[in-house]
Amino acid sequence: MQSFKSQESPVTKKSYTRADWQGGYQSLTQEFDYWIDDIEGQIPKELEGTLFRNGPGLLDVNGQPLHHPFDGDGMISKITFINGRAHFRNRFVRTTGYLAEQKAGKILYRGTFGTEKPGGWLANIFDFKLKNIANTNVIYWGGKLLALWEGAEAHRLDPYTLETLGNEYFNGVLSAGEAFAAHPRLEKNCNQDGDEPCLVNFSIKPGLSTTITIFELNSAGEIVRQQAHKIPGFSFIHDFVITPNYCIFFQNPVTFNPIPFALGIRAAGECIKFQPNQPTQILIIPRFPQEGQEKIKILETQSGFVFHHVNAFEVGEEVMIDSICYQDLLKVQPKSDFRQVDFEASSPGQLWRFYLNLKDQTVRRELIDGRCCEFASIHPANVGRSYRYLYIAAAHAETGNAPLQALLKIDLQSRERQFWSAAPRGFVGEPIFVPRPGSEKEDDGWVLALVYDAAHHRSDLVILDASDFSACAIARLHLKHHIPYGLHGSFTSEVFEEI
Ligand code: FE
């Protein structure tokens, strides 16, 4: 079985130091609320709305270190743009687990990615209590601001104050503990709903077999369609893609051994084993199944691991999917310190295009870019549709695995690239493309990204001109503090701040 082999590269001078990179993995315990006044350049007047971001704000509980950043409590950052000014606010999601651990001043829960309660295996054995850490994504949909984590229900927040209002069950359609994944896809014009917007999301119920449930929500935030499918085997599925007719999931080749987890000697994430000789299964589920149509089609492709997709679209009988693929799954190692990771020892995420022929049931793939990359963004009107430009966080060097220090714009038509780098002392997070109001060209807008600046141990919000990407940033907003490396976020044209 062929796999996603990365190209070998000669040893070159590193674009970063590990000590600089580690600075972005310090907890931020404080909650802020201020107008940003330390700005290089100018915030475009037309840029109006709110950037919400989510990510682990704490990497320790009262000095007890977490084993993995994915186990960190969710902290929402909110940057409001109005009249050429910007306001910053951050607040932790007051989950049950966050409140209990802050009160106790110690770790009370086992983390999915290796964090253990103090006291060794005896303290952890047969403890299946789940801590909903609400740390992966944040969206504003149907008049609600929702913090998302794939293992459990969403938390609803006040979009003005970021105060936690409780769990969201969508008018009782979901029940307590039922998951609502962290990677919804927003279709701007849904044919089925009279070209109204539709938010599509899913949940994964893992086990010896896996149940995938798909939810479709209207613009009032109500679940209007729901379908569930049982898939053989254990699944580790974090993201998916949609087209006007399909939801598509990559079932990565992994197995799960529950015994060390049950015995309290390994976290759930440490019991997942990548299977390099097994194929990746591509699950294609019709969104609006017709009478007699097969409920699910499964195609196979080479072994590899995909956390995130970029987009998908249909051309006749073919579906194209752009995804970030790893040669294998980087194993969460027990008793290790994630801050000491050897970047060079693991394979980079690389951008691939998959061509699924639904008629012949074949899959062909093509490497679009071999540079180490993660966290892509596109024009929001093109989700599920044919598109030309994508923006993605990338390593500074062209080859090898390294921290994300740069942003790359790829023209999928001409295959031209534009590159902006924060190296040597800057480290970037997920870029978000925001269209200029009234724009018609696909790349007429801005790319917003948080950049950790190790030289000042603070984070900047960087605004780039998407159509002239390699030029200097239009504006660099210096925050008064750092924000620990985050995961995902979103932009809405709504403003939730008093001027
Ligand atoms: Fe993700």
Side-chain angles (χ1 to χ4, degrees), residues 183 238 308 488:
H183 277 288
H238 175 69
H308 296 122
H488 303 289

